[in-house]
Amino acid sequence: MLNTGSTKLIKLEVTRALRNKKYLFFTVLYPAALFLMLGGTLSGSTKVMGTELTMPAFYMVAMASFGALTAVLVGNSERIAKERESGWVRQLRLTALPGRGYVLAKTASAGVLSLPAILVVFAVAAVAKGVRFEVWQWFALIGAIWAGSLVFAALGVAIGYLASGDNVRPITMLFYFALSILGGLWMPTAAFPQWLRSVCEWLPTHAYAGLGQAIELGGAPHAKDVAILAAYFVLFTGAAAWLYRKDSLKA
């Protein structure tokens, strides 16, 4: 559970991010623009290879997931690495905020910031390409994609404590692009060779995209996808907590 200190830190993180013009462009507007370029130029009846989804429906979930991933992974890791170098994290350790509270607060605040990216992509898909679903599907899609983004928020915290301010960007970009491409957020994995598809099926981004795709087809998220994301969340959160404690010993 989040205590008062963690709640205040979440509010501070959200306020800082919303004032950042780079955040507004790269996490809110950029994914929507990519949707129009990748999925918005083709016929609404064109099916994506290996799925029963139309191009606009497939790329709506893919770009909403990509936008959420950008918000929670890229921004989180770089902010934490810079805060460590500036001494801000050292100051927080002098307060009553426990280590687990800091990790959870960073994860939760990043999750809050992923919501605008999801909503904007959905609005563009509905208005520009006439994507239509039942009311329950829209709410289920928002909930599933938002909740799934917390997995990558935890990864962002871990990278922020693993990397220094000088090398955090290349390390983050490596994870960012590899997970996005191999997870099927930019293109359907059905176009990959069989051996690569077998590997991609176990990536968190592949399972993440699968949540929304299952809902779009009228069903519930597959148990395998949920289990994969849960396992990665435990792994990334545990790594973030361990790296935080390790960094505390150096201070």
Side-chain angles (χ1 to χ4, degrees), residues 84-152:
R84 287 170 57 214
E85 290 196 341
S86 67
W88 170 244
V89 174
R90 190 180 304 112
Q91 291 296 320
L92 285 177
R93 292 195 184 104
L94 300 177
T95 69
L97 182 67
R100 66 178 182 279
Y102 176 84
V103 172
L104 290 175
K106 283 290 187 179
T107 302
S109 60
V112 172
L113 295 173
S114 69
L115 189 57
I118 298 169
L119 296 177
V120 170
V121 171
F122 283 6
V124 170
V127 173
K129 292 302 295 181
V131 175
R132 297 290 183 268
F133 290 106
E134 299 292 334
V135 174
W136 73 266
Q137 287 175 297
W138 285 113
F139 280 103
L141 285 167
I142 293 171
I145 296 175
W146 177 80
S149 71
L150 297 179
V151 176
F152 306 100

Side-chain angles (χ1 to χ4, degrees), residues 23-56:
Y23 159 78
L24 294 175
F25 176 76
F26 285 105
T27 66
V28 178
L29 301 179
Y30 181 55
L34 281 179
F35 164 78
L36 293 174
M37 288 189 290
L38 295 174
T41 58
L42 298 175
S43 169
S45 61
T46 303
K47 296 291 182 68
V48 176
M49 181 190 307
T51 76
E52 292 299 318
L53 295 171
T54 64
M55 279 287 188

Side-chain angles (χ1 to χ4, degrees), residues 194-208:
Q194 179 58 49
W195 68 268
L196 184 56
R197 291 204 302 270
S198 299
V199 174
C200 294
E201 288 178 0
W202 296 98
L203 293 177
T205 36
H206 187 278
Y208 186 35

Side-chain angles (χ1 to χ4, degrees), residues 1-20:
M1 298 294 291
L2 296 175
N3 57 23
T4 302
S6 299
T7 303
K8 290 182 178 178
L9 182 58
I10 291 173
K11 292 180 180 178
L12 175 62
E13 291 294 325
V14 172
T15 301
R16 288 171 58 192
L18 292 178
R19 291 174 179 171
N20 190 326

